[in-house]
């Protein structure tokens, strides 16, 4: 049977809290978090779109908005996203940046004049949307006078009662790989069993040396969706809609950690590199309504079900590369020798399949129109992060129950429902030209008991739009900021390890356009 990935792994993403010690609860959070979505026009308005309608964003947001279409449309947008992180670890600051070009929206709406010639008319929409992009680089460095990543491996070996012999059993001489990080460290002479016990407490060479530490991470991938929705209008007063959404997750994350022991006589240091590949497909439905109170005021309500990912496939690899100066040992002849070279060694590739249930979303809003001069719109969205679930049919029986109990228990303790607040306005400065601006606050979804960091994200946006009778163009700029913490490894004594504070800034330029027909 394939093994569940219980290893700690640090992954950074654009659309989630920055790098925590990685387990399935944080994976669930990563794959369930998105910010302002939709066309360039709607993103300029802070993402507030549930009450506006007649925009391609209705396909993924409030499908009732399709009922406001009176003619058909095709839309496409392109975006440039730049992400910068500033981290401070052990009093040392570093900056990392990354950028990407992507296509946030592509779709079509086909509008009909009426249904059965009565009071109803509606529109069918379908398209592609990019819900989240997984880019968020990080670099940290500093001098640690209390610990090394090797101490994390030592604690793992001690906790499971390992011995030198049992860690040898975790090594496959045929493939040259080890089945755990602590066995990998043992096979490369970086940790050793106690001379008296042959096991715990494990030790490392010269544990009190100052340690220069360097960490980095890179990420690629996205959460995308193919969306199909229909919205209908009753007497241009009441609008109803429903949608079907097929989501796809593709994520690749790589981290590198290096410890350099200052003044070492035996081991100068090591590098530990990890890679996690994740892919999965899911399905969700959405329902929505809009009520036109009068020509100036619209009210909206929308619901999106949890996305059910039937098969999340992951592959985990790691490589440990020691830098040896001289390690005393006993040769095959029984004579003392000094080992001066140890080859890198890999962890046995770990493949695992699990199921994921993302949180439900409920949103409501209003749009107030100032005749033909513009409008003000706002949304409130609730995201039930505490309702996320993970489980694994691959494990089966009691193993699956233990998997669910452990990780879903952590989800319920560490995450809670969050509110996203979005507001935007548009002013028509001429019959063809409009200016827009918006702001949003996205709740972190972390429980107050998790830690003291305020992980709420704040976003400001603005843009211009040019519209003629048969086409339109929109240009939007968005900036989002948030704070977080990055913990490369943990130890039982919290005073022995450190976390980096992280400031994230994401800037996006988006160009969109459409043709009416």
């Amino acid at each position: 049977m394939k093994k569940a990935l219980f290893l700690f792994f640090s992954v950074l993403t654009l659309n989630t809290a920055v790098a925590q010690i990685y387990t399935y609860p944080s994976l669930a959070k990563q794959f369930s978090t998105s910010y302002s979505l939709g066309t360039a026009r709607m993103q300029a308005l802070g993402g507030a779109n549930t009450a506006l309608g007649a925009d391609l964003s209705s396909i993924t947001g409030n499908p009732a908005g399709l009922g406001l279409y009176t003619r058909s449309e095709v839309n496409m947008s392109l975006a440039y996203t730049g992400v910068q992180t500033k981290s401070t670890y052990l009093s040392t600051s570093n900056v990392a940046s990354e950028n990407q070009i992507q296509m946030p929206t592509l779709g079509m709406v086909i509008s009909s004049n009426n249904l059965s010639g009565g009071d109803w008319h509606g529109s069918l929409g379908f398209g592609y949307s990019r819900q989240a992009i997984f880019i968020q680089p990080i670099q940290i460095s500093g001098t640690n006078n209390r610990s090394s990543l090797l101490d994390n491996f030592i604690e793992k070996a001690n906790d499971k009662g390992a011995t030198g012999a049992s860690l040898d059993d975790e090594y496959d001489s045929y493939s040259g790989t080890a089945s755990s990080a602590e066995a990998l460290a043992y096979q490369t002479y970086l940790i050793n069993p106690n001379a008296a016990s042959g096991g715990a407490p494990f030790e490392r060479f010269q544990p009190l040396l100052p340690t220069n530490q360097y960490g980095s991470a890179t990420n690629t991938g996205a959460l995308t969706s193919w969306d199909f929705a229909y919205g209908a209008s009753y007497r241009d007063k009441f609008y109803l809609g429903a949608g079907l959404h097929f989501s796809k997750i593709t994520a690749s994350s790589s981290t590198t950690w290096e410890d350099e022991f200052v003044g070492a006589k035996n081991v100068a240091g090591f590098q530990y590199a990890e890679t996690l590949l994740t892919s999965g497909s899911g399905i969700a439905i959405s329902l929505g309504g809009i009520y036109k109170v009068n020509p100036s005021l619209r009210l909206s309500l929308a619901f999106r079900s949890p996305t059910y990912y039937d098969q999340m496939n992951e592959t985990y690899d790691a490589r440990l590369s020691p830098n040896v100066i001289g390690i005393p040992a006993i040769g095959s002849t029984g004579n003392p020798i000094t080992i001066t070279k140890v080859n890198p060694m890999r962890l046995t590739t770990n493949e695992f399949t699990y199921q994921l249930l993302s949180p439900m979303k409920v949103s409501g809003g209003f749009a107030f129109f100032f005749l033909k001069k513009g409008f003000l719109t706002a949304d409130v969205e609730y995201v039930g992060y505490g309702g996320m679930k993970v489980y694994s049919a691959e494990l089966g029986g009691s193993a699956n129950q233990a998997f669910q109990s452990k990780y879903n228990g952590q989800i319920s303790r560490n995450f809670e429902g969050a509110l996203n607040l979005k507001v935007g306005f548009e002013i028509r400065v001429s019959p063809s030209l409009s200016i827009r601006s918006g702001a949003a606050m996205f709740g972190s979804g972390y429980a107050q008991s998790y830690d003291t960091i305020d992980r709420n994200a704040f976003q400001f946006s603005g843009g211009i739009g040019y519209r003629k009778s048969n086409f339109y163009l929109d240009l939007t700029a968005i900036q989002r900021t948030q704070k977080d913490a990055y913990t490369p490894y943990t130890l039982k004594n919290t005073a022995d390890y450190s976390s980096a504070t992280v400031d994230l800034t994401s800037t996006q330029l988006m160009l969109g356009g459409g043709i009416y027909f």
Side-chain angles (χ1 to χ4, degrees):
M1 179 182 292
K2 299 174 184 177
K3 296 180 180 179
L5 179 61
F6 296 123
L7 300 174
F8 291 126
F9 185 76
S10 299
V11 180
L12 307 174
T13 71
L14 174 65
N15 291 313
T16 190
V18 182
Q20 305 302 312
I21 295 299
Y22 228 97
T23 60
Y24 291 104
S26 52
L27 280 169
K29 181 63 166 60
Q30 172 191 355
F31 298 139
S32 300
T33 303
S34 58
Y35 297 103
S36 61
L37 304 173
T39 62
R41 182 191 186 198
M42 293 304 164
Q43 294 208 40
L45 298 170
N49 59 46
T50 64
L52 289 174
D55 186 272
L56 196 75
S57 303
S58 300
I59 301 175
T60 57
N62 184 355
L66 295 173
L68 281 93
Y69 270 95
T70 58
R71 51 182 174 166
S72 301
E73 172 192 349
V74 62
N75 170 282
M76 185 182 77
S77 63
L78 295 173
Y80 166 85
T81 301
V83 180
Q84 183 182 82
T85 58
K86 180 180 179 181
S87 61
T88 302
Y89 179 69
L90 298 171
S91 302
T92 302
S93 295
N94 285 274
V95 175
S97 60
E98 191 173 345
N99 56 72
Q100 186 181 103
I101 295 176
Q102 72 273 352
M103 184 171 63
T105 61
L106 174 66
M108 177 182 291
V109 175
I110 300 175
S111 179
S112 62
N113 290 328
N114 60 66
L115 295 174
S116 303
D119 295 324
W120 291 87
H121 67 84
S123 300
L124 173 68
F126 55 91
Y128 165 90
S129 61
R130 184 157 293 202
Q131 306 287 305
I133 53 175
F134 303 140
I135 61 169
Q136 186 165 292
I138 192 168
Q139 291 184 356
I140 67 173
S141 64
T143 300
N144 193 328
N145 294 310
R146 297 187 66 95
S147 69
S148 161
L149 176 61
L150 292 182
D151 295 309
N152 176 271
F153 299 158
I154 286 173
E155 287 190 354
K156 290 179 181 178
N158 292 340
D159 288 346
K160 68 181 185 182
T163 63
S166 70
L167 293 182
D168 278 334
D169 291 339
E170 295 184 27
Y171 172 69
D172 184 347
S173 59
Y174 179 77
S175 64
T177 62
S179 60
S180 71
E182 55 271 25
L184 204 61
Y186 175 70
Q187 294 297 328
T188 53
Y189 302 96
L190 295 178
I191 67 172
N192 304 291
N194 182 269
S197 67
F202 277 74
E203 304 162 340
R204 63 183 177 96
F205 293 104
Q206 297 179 276
L208 300 180
L209 292 177
T211 304
N212 293 329
Q213 298 184 315
Y214 310 90
S216 64
T218 58
N219 305 269
T220 59
L223 166 60
T224 60
S225 181
W226 285 99
D227 310 290
F228 303 84
Y230 186 84
S233 167
Y234 178 71
R235 294 184 176 180
D236 292 323
K237 183 77 171 180
F238 188 60
Y239 306 84
L240 291 173
L244 185 61
H245 312 279
F246 299 93
S247 298
K248 174 69 175 178
I249 292 172
T250 304
S252 173
S253 302
S254 300
T255 66
T256 301
W257 185 258
E258 185 174 353
D259 276 354
E260 179 184 273
F261 305 121
V262 179
K265 297 180 180 179
N266 305 107
V267 176
F270 66 91
Q271 184 184 84
Y272 191 59
E274 302 170 283
T275 301
L276 177 66
L277 306 177
T278 305
S279 64
S281 299
I283 187 170
I285 63 170
S286 61
L287 303 170
I290 297 175
Y291 178 63
K292 187 183 291 185
V293 179
N294 54 51
S296 297
L297 179 63
R298 299 174 192 169
L299 304 177
S300 64
L301 182 65
F303 166 80
R304 181 156 177 154
S305 73
T307 302
Y308 171 65
Y309 295 91
D310 178 61
Q311 192 163 323
M312 298 289 292
N313 302 305
E314 66 181 16
T315 302
Y316 174 82
D317 287 294
R319 176 186 175 94
L320 182 60
S321 304
N323 182 6
V324 171
I325 298 173
I327 297 176
I330 302 298
S332 58
T333 62
N335 296 321
I337 62 171
T338 300
I339 298 173
T340 58
K341 181 176 177 57
V342 178
N343 291 326
M345 187 173 293
R346 304 190 71 91
L347 204 65
T348 305
T349 299
N350 192 320
E351 297 179 340
F352 183 57
T353 300
Y354 64 98
Q355 287 71 47
L356 167 65
L357 195 68
S358 74
M360 72 167 185
K361 299 179 181 180
V362 179
S363 58
F366 75 88
F368 187 84
F369 294 83
F370 303 95
L371 299 177
K372 294 184 178 181
K373 299 298 184 181
F375 60 80
L376 173 69
T377 185
D379 286 348
V380 177
E381 180 181 59
Y382 173 82
V383 185
Y385 290 114
M388 299 182 298
K389 302 291 182 185
V390 292
Y391 51 97
S392 176
E394 177 181 303
L395 293 176
S398 59
N400 184 23
Q401 289 298 321
F403 181 86
Q404 293 185 60
S405 178
K406 177 178 181 178
Y407 293 115
N408 291 334
Q410 291 177 7
I411 287 173
S412 63
R413 290 191 301 271
N414 294 339
F415 301 106
E416 62 185 12
L419 289 179
N420 299 333
L421 309 177
K422 310 170 188 178
V423 62
F425 68 88
E426 178 178 289
I427 298 174
R428 182 175 294 181
V429 296
S430 75
S432 299
L433 187 66
S434 299
I435 59 173
R436 307 169 185 126
S437 185
M441 188 280 289
F442 299 92
S444 71
Y446 283 85
Q448 292 184 356
S449 59
Y450 187 75
D451 59 25
T452 60
I453 297 173
D454 181 0
R455 290 179 171 83
N456 294 335
F458 298 90
Q459 176 178 295
F460 299 93
S461 55
I464 58 174
Y466 181 79
R467 270 169 164 69
K468 300 298 286 186
S469 61
N470 58 348
F471 78 95
Y472 63 89
L473 290 172
D474 297 307
L475 179 64
T476 295
I478 306 165
Q479 185 174 78
R480 186 174 66 255
T481 59
Q482 65 187 112
K483 295 181 180 294
D484 214 309
Y486 173 74
T487 306
Y489 61 89
T490 62
L491 299 169
K492 292 180 179 179
N493 185 352
T494 57
D496 287 339
Y497 67 91
S498 297
S499 297
T501 59
V502 179
D503 292 303
L504 166 72
T505 301
S506 172
T507 303
Q508 184 176 83
L509 296 176
M510 188 172 177
L511 176 65
I515 299 173
Y516 296 114
F517 60 95

